[in-house]
């Protein structure tokens, strides 16, 4: 599993919490970071399950918070789901060392 990051909106101070920010996969599931239209939040959505025993328990392509399916891939500009301003990675994130 790759690393996760916290994204912060400089305009309205919404924080995504820890999300991949991109498609990612681990041993059991593959996730993609999406925007839930209902929660207006950035969430990691399970898009694929590799183990059959998990398939019955986990719904694919739905918001982990509200179980809704009105999710769409988060554009690469990382717009804030609340105010559409580009969000930035939390400065505590190790990836910022490369900037
Ligand atoms: Zn915002
Ligand atoms: Zn939701």
């Amino acid at each position: 599993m790759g690393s996760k990051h916290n994204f912060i909106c400089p305009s309205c101070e919404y924080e995504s919490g820890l999300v991949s920010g991109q498609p990612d996969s681990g041993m059991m599931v593959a996730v993609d970071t999406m925007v839930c239209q209902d929660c207006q939040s950035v969430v990691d959505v399970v898009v694929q399950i590799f183990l059959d025993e998990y398939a019955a328990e986990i719904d694919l392509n739905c918001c982990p918070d509200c179980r809704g399916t009105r999710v769409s891939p988060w554009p690469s500009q990382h717009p804030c789901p609340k105010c559409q301003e580009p969000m930035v990675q939390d400065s505590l994130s190790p990836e910022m060392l490369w900037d």
Side-chain angles (χ1 to χ4, degrees):
M1 189 68 87
S3 54
K4 290 181 183 286
H5 313 282
N6 188 30
F7 290 85
I8 298 173
C9 175
S11 178
C12 75
E13 300 186 335
Y14 165 73
E15 291 189 29
S16 68
L18 292 176
V19 294
S20 300
Q22 61 189 7
D24 194 10
S25 61
M27 296 288 288
M28 297 181 293
V29 298
V31 300
D32 197 357
T33 302
M34 301 201 189
V35 174
C36 175
Q37 312 289 334
D38 292 323
C39 300
Q40 289 197 317
S41 63
V42 177
V43 291
D44 272 349
V45 173
V46 177
V47 294
Q48 193 179 358
I49 297 170
F50 304 129
L51 292 179
D52 287 344
E53 52 260 52
Y54 283 94
E57 298 171 25
I58 302 175
D59 293 324
L60 294 181
N61 302 306
C62 73
C63 171
D65 293 333
C66 71
R67 314 310 296 170
T69 54
R70 299 203 320 139
V71 291
S72 53
W74 201 23
S76 58
Q77 299 83 3
H78 296 156
C80 173
K82 300 187 187 298
C83 71
Q84 309 307 317
E85 284 293 310
M87 296 178 74
V88 294
Q89 267 185 34
D90 193 323
S91 56
L92 293 174
S93 168
E95 257 64 12
M96 289 297 281
L97 294 173
W98 297 98
D99 267 5

